[in-house]
Amino acid sequence: MAPPAGKRVKGVQICRPFIFGTTARAFNDTDNPRPAGVSADHTHSWQVFVKGVDDTDIFYWLRRVQFKLHESIPNHLRTIDAETVIKENEGKPAAQRLRAFVVNETGWGEFEITIRLYYDSRSGEKPQTLYHHLRLHPYGTNEAEKEAMRNNGEVAAWVYEEQLFNEPFEEFYKLLTTGARDKNTAASGGKGKGKAKNSHPASGDNSGSGEVKERSAMIPLTNRPGQPFSKETEQLEVKRIKDAHNKVQQMILELTKGAKAKEAELAALRQDSAGATDSAPATNV
């Protein structure tokens, strides 16, 4: 691939958050029956995906995703092109448009999926590889977390990630930093001068309205069903790390205090032993 024309924008780093992972559901007779033609030993339906936070558009910077599934699955190398998805979305209502790179499958076993990301050619970026473990069964750090997943009816193994573009080429920088707008609104077009009516900064600051804008680095302020990543998640994680740090510091203080007490006890024993030796009567031979 030929390098993009133009210069790099020095001293600039652009961030774009996204989510990748898998969602699995066990087959049942009520709301997830096994489709006709699916092998009887397949116990779950599942999907692997790459998508924007809060289902925002990522097709403008991520143009293709390749999913490498287990080799026992027919056509185990699946490539999804943004252009194909965009064409399939034409004429559909906004609520029905696919806004992610997705592969849907069925199966019975867990395995590692290789995810290859291909960027817009104007970026000059080499493809990057992610690895993700398909989860079919409830998991967690304790039984309460596993039980909550069972009650939810699906096993979601999602990962929040941030794509960083360091000193992007000028054309790609322009693509990343223009066109931010409200969700579910069309991109501005035409040849008129001036900013579009729905134009917003492409930064990550949504402290005013709390709404996530298209083509921005924003994430939601709070969690909600189907959207587990937000500023609230970040704050909870920071608190968890601080609490763990404080706990470790307290443990260090207690261990240090105990060690000093043992050292003082050992010094006292040595002093008593030395005094006993000095006071012992001499033996004449």
Side-chain angles (χ1 to χ4, degrees), residues 152-274:
N152 188 44
E154 65 179 27
V155 177
W158 296 9
V159 179
Y160 173 89
E161 187 60 88
E162 292 183 351
Q163 177 64 52
L164 300 178
F165 297 105
N166 292 309
E167 298 187 341
F169 285 96
E170 291 173 332
E171 189 177 1
F172 190 56
Y173 173 80
K174 183 178 179 180
L175 175 69
L176 291 172
T177 57
T178 58
R181 61 186 187 276
D182 293 331
K183 286 183 64 179
N184 299 321
T185 58
S188 59
K191 299 181 181 180
K193 296 181 179 180
K195 293 184 178 180
K197 190 174 183 179
N198 289 322
S199 179
H200 296 277
S203 69
D205 183 13
N206 60 344
S207 57
S209 65
E211 292 296 324
V212 174
K213 308 296 181 184
E214 294 283 6
R215 299 198 172 201
S216 74
M218 296 176 179
I219 62 174
L221 291 179
T222 58
N223 294 344
R224 59 180 181 275
Q227 180 45 260
F229 304 108
S230 67
K231 296 283 188 181
E232 179 184 6
T233 308
E234 183 179 66
Q235 291 168 1
L236 289 173
E237 184 67 11
V238 169
K239 182 180 183 302
R240 186 187 69 81
I241 293 173
K242 284 184 177 179
D243 290 344
H245 176 266
N246 292 337
K247 184 177 180 179
V248 170
Q249 290 297 110
Q250 184 61 36
M251 291 173 63
I252 291 174
L253 288 175
E254 292 176 357
L255 289 172
T256 301
K257 183 179 179 180
K260 288 182 177 180
K262 293 294 184 182
E263 289 174 357
E265 183 179 350
L266 179 60
L269 289 172
R270 285 174 176 171
Q271 186 176 4
D272 291 345
S273 176

Side-chain angles (χ1 to χ4, degrees), residues 8-274:
R8 289 187 177 273
V9 183
K10 298 296 184 180
V12 171
Q13 183 182 75
I14 304 294
C15 167
R16 287 295 174 264
F18 68 98
I19 301 170
F20 69 95
T22 55
T23 304
R25 298 184 66 201
F27 286 132
N28 59 67
D29 295 330
T30 54
D31 60 351
N32 192 35
R34 182 181 290 105
V38 172
S39 176
D41 63 353
H42 286 200
T43 58
H44 291 73
S45 62
W46 56 266
Q47 70 170 210
V48 56
F49 64 86
V50 177
K51 66 177 184 177
V53 175
D54 207 27
D55 295 314
T56 51
D57 176 33
I58 59 172
F59 295 152
Y60 68 101
W61 60 267
L62 187 61
R63 302 301 295 170
R64 182 182 300 114
V65 175
Q66 185 182 76
F67 300 93
K68 185 178 180 181
L69 312 179
H70 195 275
E71 293 183 356
S72 63
I73 298 175
N75 186 25
H76 72 282
L77 204 60
R78 311 284 179 90
T79 301
I80 311 296
D81 285 293
E83 200 62 40
T84 301
V85 179
I86 292 171
K87 288 181 178 179
E88 292 175 349
N89 283 337
E90 291 178 358
K92 293 182 180 180
Q96 297 179 12
R97 294 172 189 162
L98 186 62
R99 302 174 66 81
F101 299 88
V102 182
V103 167
N104 291 289
E105 263 298 342
T106 64
W108 56 267
E110 299 182 347
F111 57 90
E112 185 178 72
I113 300 172
T114 303
I115 304 172
R116 189 81 164 160
L117 307 179
Y118 295 84
Y119 307 99
D120 187 281
S121 59
R122 289 166 288 186
S123 71
E125 298 285 344
K126 296 180 180 180
Q128 300 293 321
T129 303
L130 303 171
Y131 299 94
H132 187 76
H133 188 77
L134 168 63
R135 296 271 191 175
L136 299 183
H137 307 288
Y139 66 96
T141 57
N142 52 57
E143 284 301 319
E145 291 181 1
K146 294 179 183 179
E147 188 62 27
M149 199 168 285
R150 291 190 192 97
N151 294 336
N152 188 44
E154 65 179 27
V155 177
W158 296 9
V159 179
Y160 173 89
E161 187 60 88
E162 292 183 351
Q163 177 64 52
L164 300 178
F165 297 105
N166 292 309
E167 298 187 341
F169 285 96
E170 291 173 332
E171 189 177 1
F172 190 56
Y173 173 80
K174 183 178 179 180
L175 175 69
L176 291 172
T177 57
T178 58
R181 61 186 187 276
D182 293 331
K183 286 183 64 179
N184 299 321
T185 58
S188 59
K191 299 181 181 180
K193 296 181 179 180
K195 293 184 178 180
K197 190 174 183 179
N198 289 322
S199 179
H200 296 277
S203 69
D205 183 13
N206 60 344
S207 57
S209 65
E211 292 296 324
V212 174
K213 308 296 181 184
E214 294 283 6
R215 299 198 172 201
S216 74
M218 296 176 179
I219 62 174
L221 291 179
T222 58
N223 294 344
R224 59 180 181 275
Q227 180 45 260
F229 304 108
S230 67
K231 296 283 188 181
E232 179 184 6
T233 308
E234 183 179 66
Q235 291 168 1
L236 289 173
E237 184 67 11
V238 169
K239 182 180 183 302
R240 186 187 69 81
I241 293 173
K242 284 184 177 179
D243 290 344
H245 176 266
N246 292 337
K247 184 177 180 179
V248 170
Q249 290 297 110
Q250 184 61 36
M251 291 173 63
I252 291 174
L253 288 175
E254 292 176 357
L255 289 172
T256 301
K257 183 179 179 180
K260 288 182 177 180
K262 293 294 184 182
E263 289 174 357
E265 183 179 350
L266 179 60
L269 289 172
R270 285 174 176 171
Q271 186 176 4
D272 291 345
S273 176

